[in-house]
Amino acid sequence: EDKVVQSPLSLVVHEGDTVTLNCSYEVTNFRSLLWYKQEKKAPTFLFMLTSSGIEKKSGRLSSILDKKELFSILNITATQTGDSAVYLCAVVFNTNAGKSTFGDGTTLTVKP
Amino acid sequence: NAGVTQTPKFRILKIGQSMTLQCTQDMNHNYMYWYRQDPGMGLKLIYYSVGAGITDKGEVPNGYNVSRSTTEDFPLRLELAAPSQTSVYFCASNRDTYSTDTQYFGPGTRLTVL
């Protein structure tokens, strides 16, 4: 059965801390891995990863994929209260329809 | 562009009632999806469509139906609502699945079945 597992389930840090969120997967037909940020509403896209070892970076956020060990990490440096959200990881299957399966998310709380 | 729009934002149904959740996108995207998100969980795919007239089941299709008569619209029909269908429903779309897997999400519909 295809599955995506995120850890930790929740995390509380203080402003300025650095956090690492994990996403491991077991799927039969991998095409890409996506990270989304969800703040009490619709998920918004952060990164799409398809190749191992190539870091994607956007400001204080970065992500990397390891296709051999079947995991990805999302790093956030110098966290701010605005980073508080649920971070979702999704794996897209290599099919025409672009179907995906999501992990249950990591809830990040950043305290002032 | 309005992107992906969903109506209604909130709805309370009684057990056994039916309703249609509306989803419209103005980006000319071929691919559209319906997800449900239960509290503390990720998104589960209900149905998807790769173009007008073509739909298929996702992970959790029971109790739902869809249609896709136009590129823009992808309504989700709930027949005989049950408490287990209490959830937040998201519609999403994608331009194509060859150049990107990024999906654009609507704001969601919060449904409660009592």
Side-chain angles (χ1 to χ4, degrees):
Chain A
E1 182 186 340
D2 297 318
K3 61 180 180 181
V4 176
V5 178
Q6 292 186 243
S7 63
L9 288 180
S10 64
L11 190 56
V12 180
V13 301
H14 288 93
E15 275 191 316
D17 288 349
T18 293
V19 298
T20 298
L21 310 183
N22 303 290
C23 175
S24 64
Y25 60 92
E26 291 180 30
V27 301
T28 53
N29 202 8
F30 175 92
R31 180 162 77 201
S32 66
L33 186 145
L34 278 72
W35 284 97
Y36 290 89
K37 179 181 182 182
Q38 186 176 26
E39 298 172 89
K40 295 190 186 301
K41 48 188 179 185
T44 54
F45 171 75
L46 293 174
F47 297 112
M48 184 174 91
L49 303 158
T50 56
S51 301
S52 275
I54 298 174
E55 185 183 55
K56 294 285 184 85
K57 198 170 170 64
S58 176
R60 296 176 294 102
L61 278 67
S62 63
S63 184
I64 198 161
L65 174 68
D66 186 328
K67 290 170 75 173
K68 182 179 175 186
E69 301 297 331
L70 307 183
F71 75 93
S72 173
I73 60 172
L74 175 68
N75 278 321
I76 308 174
T77 59
T79 52
Q80 302 170 357
T81 55
D83 295 326
S84 295
V86 176
Y87 290 84
L88 295 168
C89 168
V91 170
V92 182
F93 302 111
N94 194 19
T95 64
N96 177 49
K99 289 167 63 177
S100 56
T101 191
F102 280 76
D104 287 340
T106 293
T107 301
L108 174 65
T109 303
V110 182
K111 294 189 171 182
Chain B
N1 285 353
V4 181
T5 57
Q6 292 182 236
T7 57
K9 287 189 171 59
F10 305 95
R11 183 73 185 267
I12 298 175
L13 283 182
K14 294 182 179 179
I15 294 172
Q17 287 185 320
S18 300
M19 76 165 293
T20 299
L21 281 67
Q22 301 292 343
C23 174
T24 300
Q25 52 89 12
D26 62 359
M27 298 175 282
N28 202 31
H29 285 179
N30 283 321
Y31 297 80
M32 297 187 74
Y33 310 85
W34 272 107
Y35 295 93
R36 59 176 287 171
Q37 186 177 33
D38 298 334
M41 307 288 283
L43 282 72
K44 301 288 187 189
L45 182 65
I46 305 171
Y47 271 94
Y48 66 96
S49 169
V50 301
I54 308 170
T55 63
D56 206 348
K57 297 177 181 177
E59 298 173 73
V60 289
N62 292 344
Y64 307 94
N65 272 302
V66 293
S67 59
R68 184 95 182 270
S69 56
T70 66
T71 299
E72 295 77 22
D73 300 308
F74 190 37
L76 178 72
R77 177 84 178 158
L78 278 72
E79 304 281 3
L80 299 174
S84 61
Q85 293 177 303
T86 294
S87 190
V88 180
Y89 291 83
F90 290 104
C91 178
S93 72
N94 186 1
R95 181 179 69 235
D96 63 64
T97 59
Y98 300 103
S99 61
T100 178
D101 288 325
T102 306
Q103 295 183 11
Y104 297 87
F105 285 82
T109 294
R110 185 175 295 274
L111 176 67
T112 302
V113 182
L114 301 173

